[in-house]
């Protein structure tokens, strides 16, 4: 008998809940289904809009990143070219400086040789003059 009472109470409680829902619900079940379908469609539309917005934003970001990458690549290429030309100029300057220094050393060597020759000639000339003046002085002393 306990099972019969339980089943009766269960059916009576379900009927009471159904009646309360029908009486207290502001909409009929058809209206409720229509509203629910409309809400689901609005949600799908918003989700599609957000997906489109995300795709557009991703495409814009990819374009901006690509442009920035290309600009950085061009800047790096031009900087590398400038560094390469500066290095070549420095190399040429160093070679010119080396050539100038070796020419300077040759000039210094030649100037030193000519100065030595002049000094040697001056010594010979001064020795000859000394010898001549000594000879003259000795001639004068012998004549007296």
């Amino acid at each position: 008998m306990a099972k019969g009472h339980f089943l009766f109470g269960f059916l009576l409680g379900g009927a009471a809940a159904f009646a309360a829902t029908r009486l207290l619900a502001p909409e009929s079940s058809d209206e409720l289904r229509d509203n629910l379908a409309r809400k689901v469609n609005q949600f799908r539309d918003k989700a599609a809009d957000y997906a489109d917005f995300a795709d557009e934003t991703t495409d814009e970001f990819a374009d901006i990143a690509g442009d920035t990458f290309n600009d950085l690549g061009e800047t790096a290429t031009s900087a590398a070219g400038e560094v390469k030309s500066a290095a070549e100029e420095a190399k040429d300057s160093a070679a010119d400086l080396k050539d100038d220094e070796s020419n300077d050393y040759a000039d210094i060597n030649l100037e030193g040789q000519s100065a030595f020759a002049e000094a040697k000639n001056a010594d010979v000339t001064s020795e000859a003059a000394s010898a001549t003046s000594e000879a003259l002085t000795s001639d004068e002393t012998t004549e007296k």
Side-chain angles (χ1 to χ4, degrees), residues 2-74:
K3 284 187 176 180
H5 290 288
F6 178 76
L7 185 60
F8 178 71
F10 182 74
L11 289 174
L12 185 64
F18 179 74
T21 304
R22 294 295 286 163
L23 290 174
L24 296 175
E27 303 172 340
S28 68
S29 62
D30 291 335
E31 290 174 353
L32 186 61
R33 264 186 252 125
D34 290 341
N35 284 339
L36 184 61
R38 192 171 0 104
K39 296 284 185 184
V40 168
N41 287 336
Q42 287 175 351
F43 178 75
R44 286 181 185 162
D45 289 341
K46 284 183 181 181
D49 289 342
Y50 284 128
D52 290 341
F53 177 74
D55 286 341
E56 290 173 6
T57 305
T58 303
D59 290 341
E60 288 176 11
F61 178 74
D63 290 342
I64 291 170
D67 291 343
T68 303
F69 182 74
N70 289 337
D71 290 344
L72 288 175
E74 290 173 5

